[in-house]
Amino acid sequence: MSTLAERKCKPCDGGTAPLTLAEARQYLAQVSSGWALTQDAHALQREFSFKDFYRTMSFVNALAHVANIEDHHPDLAVGYNHCSVTFTTHAIKGLSENDFVCAAKVDLIPLQ
């Protein structure tokens, strides 16, 4: 089995069931410790901090590139020196493997 970062996102439609809490916890163990499940376990979140706006936007642009390649897009909250990233699979109103694949790929983006 490949690592999550080596996988590709798979198309997901509304007929797919979201991950169970136990499944989500298994995937969570495979990404960096900065990621956390939301209280209802319907999303995966991580907060990033940066030295300045330039570094924040460099990260956001790199993340946007990953999201476009995978065709799986997070919700972002961006400020001068921080970015909050939330992955969820909107079509199924919960988490899918795709959320963790993308989180693993975001973990590979160099932080300055």
mmCIF file of all heavy atoms in Angstrom, residues 21-43:
data_model
loop_
_atom_site.group_PDB
_atom_site.id
_atom_site.type_symbol
_atom_site.label_atom_id
_atom_site.label_comp_id
_atom_site.label_asym_id
_atom_site.label_seq_id
_atom_site.Cartn_x
_atom_site.Cartn_y
_atom_site.Cartn_z
ATOM 1 N N LEU A 21 -15.981 7.417 12.382
ATOM 2 C CA LEU A 21 -15.009 8.015 13.294
ATOM 3 C C LEU A 21 -13.771 7.131 13.411
ATOM 4 O O LEU A 21 -12.644 7.625 13.386
ATOM 5 C CB LEU A 21 -15.637 8.259 14.667
ATOM 6 C CG LEU A 21 -14.722 8.859 15.727
ATOM 7 C CD1 LEU A 21 -14.139 10.200 15.266
ATOM 8 C CD2 LEU A 21 -15.473 9.028 17.037
ATOM 9 N N ALA A 22 -13.948 5.828 13.511
ATOM 10 C CA ALA A 22 -12.809 4.905 13.623
ATOM 11 C C ALA A 22 -11.936 4.962 12.371
ATOM 12 O O ALA A 22 -10.701 4.992 12.466
ATOM 13 C CB ALA A 22 -13.299 3.479 13.866
ATOM 14 N N GLU A 23 -12.559 5.007 11.199
ATOM 15 C CA GLU A 23 -11.792 5.090 9.949
ATOM 16 C C GLU A 23 -11.048 6.424 9.872
ATOM 17 O O GLU A 23 -9.874 6.463 9.493
ATOM 18 C CB GLU A 23 -12.728 4.952 8.743
ATOM 19 C CG GLU A 23 -13.315 3.568 8.579
ATOM 20 C CD GLU A 23 -14.447 3.522 7.569
ATOM 21 O OE1 GLU A 23 -15.188 4.529 7.400
ATOM 22 O OE2 GLU A 23 -14.605 2.456 6.940
ATOM 23 N N ALA A 24 -11.723 7.502 10.249
ATOM 24 C CA ALA A 24 -11.090 8.822 10.222
ATOM 25 C C ALA A 24 -9.881 8.860 11.153
ATOM 26 O O ALA A 24 -8.843 9.427 10.807
ATOM 27 C CB ALA A 24 -12.101 9.898 10.598
ATOM 28 N N ARG A 25 -9.990 8.247 12.303
ATOM 29 C CA ARG A 25 -8.862 8.214 13.244
ATOM 30 C C ARG A 25 -7.690 7.412 12.688
ATOM 31 O O ARG A 25 -6.527 7.756 12.926
ATOM 32 C CB ARG A 25 -9.307 7.654 14.590
ATOM 33 C CG ARG A 25 -10.130 8.641 15.381
ATOM 34 C CD ARG A 25 -10.524 8.094 16.720
ATOM 35 N NE ARG A 25 -11.211 9.105 17.511
ATOM 36 C CZ ARG A 25 -12.084 8.833 18.458
ATOM 37 N NH1 ARG A 25 -12.386 7.583 18.760
ATOM 38 N NH2 ARG A 25 -12.669 9.815 19.121
ATOM 39 N N GLN A 26 -7.973 6.349 11.938
ATOM 40 C CA GLN A 26 -6.898 5.568 11.312
ATOM 41 C C GLN A 26 -6.156 6.417 10.281
ATOM 42 O O GLN A 26 -4.926 6.388 10.221
ATOM 43 C CB GLN A 26 -7.454 4.305 10.660
ATOM 44 C CG GLN A 26 -7.865 3.243 11.650
ATOM 45 C CD GLN A 26 -8.444 2.012 10.963
ATOM 46 O OE1 GLN A 26 -9.061 2.091 9.913
ATOM 47 N NE2 GLN A 26 -8.220 0.866 11.580
ATOM 48 N N TYR A 27 -6.895 7.157 9.477
ATOM 49 C CA TYR A 27 -6.259 8.044 8.499
ATOM 50 C C TYR A 27 -5.526 9.185 9.187
ATOM 51 O O TYR A 27 -4.433 9.583 8.757
ATOM 52 C CB TYR A 27 -7.294 8.611 7.529
ATOM 53 C CG TYR A 27 -7.695 7.660 6.431
ATOM 54 C CD1 TYR A 27 -8.979 7.130 6.380
ATOM 55 C CD2 TYR A 27 -6.808 7.297 5.423
ATOM 56 C CE1 TYR A 27 -9.365 6.274 5.360
ATOM 57 C CE2 TYR A 27 -7.179 6.434 4.403
ATOM 58 C CZ TYR A 27 -8.461 5.931 4.375
ATOM 59 O OH TYR A 27 -8.825 5.077 3.372
ATOM 60 N N LEU A 28 -6.104 9.723 10.256
ATOM 61 C CA LEU A 28 -5.484 10.834 10.975
ATOM 62 C C LEU A 28 -4.088 10.459 11.466
ATOM 63 O O LEU A 28 -3.180 11.287 11.466
ATOM 64 C CB LEU A 28 -6.376 11.261 12.151
ATOM 65 C CG LEU A 28 -5.922 12.469 12.954
ATOM 66 C CD1 LEU A 28 -5.878 13.718 12.082
ATOM 67 C CD2 LEU A 28 -6.853 12.683 14.144
ATOM 68 N N ALA A 29 -3.900 9.221 11.829
ATOM 69 C CA ALA A 29 -2.597 8.750 12.304
ATOM 70 C C ALA A 29 -1.542 8.758 11.200
ATOM 71 O O ALA A 29 -0.351 8.646 11.480
ATOM 72 C CB ALA A 29 -2.734 7.349 12.894
ATOM 73 N N GLN A 30 -1.971 8.910 9.947
ATOM 74 C CA GLN A 30 -1.050 8.861 8.813
ATOM 75 C C GLN A 30 -0.646 10.244 8.292
ATOM 76 O O GLN A 30 0.118 10.343 7.339
ATOM 77 C CB GLN A 30 -1.683 8.055 7.675
ATOM 78 C CG GLN A 30 -1.971 6.609 8.055
ATOM 79 C CD GLN A 30 -2.666 5.883 6.932
ATOM 80 O OE1 GLN A 30 -2.160 5.828 5.815
ATOM 81 N NE2 GLN A 30 -3.837 5.331 7.219
ATOM 82 N N VAL A 31 -1.169 11.307 8.912
ATOM 83 C CA VAL A 31 -0.783 12.667 8.531
ATOM 84 C C VAL A 31 -0.073 13.320 9.714
ATOM 85 O O VAL A 31 -0.048 12.769 10.811
ATOM 86 C CB VAL A 31 -2.008 13.495 8.061
ATOM 87 C CG1 VAL A 31 -2.596 12.918 6.782
ATOM 88 C CG2 VAL A 31 -3.073 13.600 9.139
ATOM 89 N N SER A 32 0.494 14.506 9.491
ATOM 90 C CA SER A 32 1.252 15.134 10.574
ATOM 91 C C SER A 32 0.362 15.433 11.773
ATOM 92 O O SER A 32 -0.860 15.572 11.657
ATOM 93 C CB SER A 32 1.932 16.411 10.084
ATOM 94 O OG SER A 32 1.013 17.469 10.039
ATOM 95 N N SER A 33 0.997 15.569 12.908
ATOM 96 C CA SER A 33 0.257 15.750 14.162
ATOM 97 C C SER A 33 -0.463 17.095 14.238
ATOM 98 O O SER A 33 -1.283 17.289 15.125
ATOM 99 C CB SER A 33 1.199 15.606 15.355
ATOM 100 O OG SER A 33 2.198 16.605 15.311
ATOM 101 N N GLY A 34 -0.194 18.008 13.325
ATOM 102 C CA GLY A 34 -0.878 19.296 13.331
ATOM 103 C C GLY A 34 -2.336 19.207 12.907
ATOM 104 O O GLY A 34 -3.136 20.095 13.204
ATOM 105 N N TRP A 35 -2.700 18.151 12.204
ATOM 106 C CA TRP A 35 -4.077 17.979 11.734
ATOM 107 C C TRP A 35 -4.953 17.440 12.858
ATOM 108 O O TRP A 35 -4.510 16.627 13.659
ATOM 109 C CB TRP A 35 -4.133 17.016 10.547
ATOM 110 C CG TRP A 35 -3.475 17.557 9.329
ATOM 111 C CD1 TRP A 35 -2.214 17.272 8.886
ATOM 112 C CD2 TRP A 35 -4.024 18.485 8.394
ATOM 113 N NE1 TRP A 35 -1.951 17.961 7.728
ATOM 114 C CE2 TRP A 35 -3.048 18.716 7.405
ATOM 115 C CE3 TRP A 35 -5.246 19.139 8.298
ATOM 116 C CZ2 TRP A 35 -3.253 19.577 6.331
ATOM 117 C CZ3 TRP A 35 -5.463 20.001 7.233
ATOM 118 C CH2 TRP A 35 -4.470 20.213 6.257
ATOM 119 N N ALA A 36 -6.200 17.887 12.876
ATOM 120 C CA ALA A 36 -7.148 17.422 13.897
ATOM 121 C C ALA A 36 -8.529 17.281 13.269
ATOM 122 O O ALA A 36 -8.885 18.017 12.344
ATOM 123 C CB ALA A 36 -7.210 18.407 15.058
ATOM 124 N N LEU A 37 -9.283 16.346 13.793
ATOM 125 C CA LEU A 37 -10.673 16.207 13.378
ATOM 126 C C LEU A 37 -11.497 17.282 14.073
ATOM 127 O O LEU A 37 -11.218 17.631 15.225
ATOM 128 C CB LEU A 37 -11.214 14.829 13.766
ATOM 129 C CG LEU A 37 -10.521 13.613 13.157
ATOM 130 C CD1 LEU A 37 -11.097 12.331 13.732
ATOM 131 C CD2 LEU A 37 -10.648 13.630 11.641
ATOM 132 N N THR A 38 -12.500 17.793 13.393
ATOM 133 C CA THR A 38 -13.417 18.719 14.042
ATOM 134 C C THR A 38 -14.215 17.948 15.082
ATOM 135 O O THR A 38 -14.224 16.708 15.092
ATOM 136 C CB THR A 38 -14.367 19.377 13.029
ATOM 137 O OG1 THR A 38 -15.093 18.354 12.342
ATOM 138 C CG2 THR A 38 -13.603 20.249 12.045
ATOM 139 N N GLN A 39 -14.892 18.668 15.946
ATOM 140 C CA GLN A 39 -15.624 18.030 17.040
ATOM 141 C C GLN A 39 -16.630 16.999 16.528
ATOM 142 O O GLN A 39 -16.801 15.942 17.127
ATOM 143 C CB GLN A 39 -16.330 19.082 17.885
ATOM 144 C CG GLN A 39 -16.950 18.517 19.141
ATOM 145 C CD GLN A 39 -17.470 19.613 20.058
ATOM 146 O OE1 GLN A 39 -17.394 20.792 19.768
ATOM 147 N NE2 GLN A 39 -18.003 19.205 21.188
ATOM 148 N N ASP A 40 -17.289 17.284 15.413
ATOM 149 C CA ASP A 40 -18.261 16.332 14.867
ATOM 150 C C ASP A 40 -17.614 15.301 13.929
ATOM 151 O O ASP A 40 -18.300 14.453 13.379
ATOM 152 C CB ASP A 40 -19.390 17.071 14.154
ATOM 153 C CG ASP A 40 -18.909 17.897 12.961
ATOM 154 O OD1 ASP A 40 -17.709 17.844 12.614
ATOM 155 O OD2 ASP A 40 -19.742 18.605 12.367
ATOM 156 N N ALA A 41 -16.302 15.401 13.730
ATOM 157 C CA ALA A 41 -15.522 14.489 12.869
ATOM 158 C C ALA A 41 -15.997 14.506 11.421
ATOM 159 O O ALA A 41 -15.842 13.540 10.699
ATOM 160 C CB ALA A 41 -15.526 13.070 13.429
ATOM 161 N N HIS A 42 -16.541 15.642 10.982
ATOM 162 C CA HIS A 42 -16.959 15.787 9.593
ATOM 163 C C HIS A 42 -15.927 16.538 8.750
ATOM 164 O O HIS A 42 -16.122 16.731 7.562
ATOM 165 C CB HIS A 42 -18.308 16.513 9.505
ATOM 166 C CG HIS A 42 -19.447 15.640 9.888
ATOM 167 N ND1 HIS A 42 -19.988 15.639 11.150
ATOM 168 C CD2 HIS A 42 -20.133 14.716 9.183
ATOM 169 C CE1 HIS A 42 -20.974 14.759 11.208
ATOM 170 N NE2 HIS A 42 -21.085 14.184 10.028
ATOM 171 N N ALA A 43 -14.851 16.995 9.392
ATOM 172 C CA ALA A 43 -13.827 17.748 8.687
ATOM 173 C C ALA A 43 -12.475 17.552 9.365
ATOM 174 O O ALA A 43 -12.390 17.106 10.507
ATOM 175 C CB ALA A 43 -14.189 19.228 8.630
#
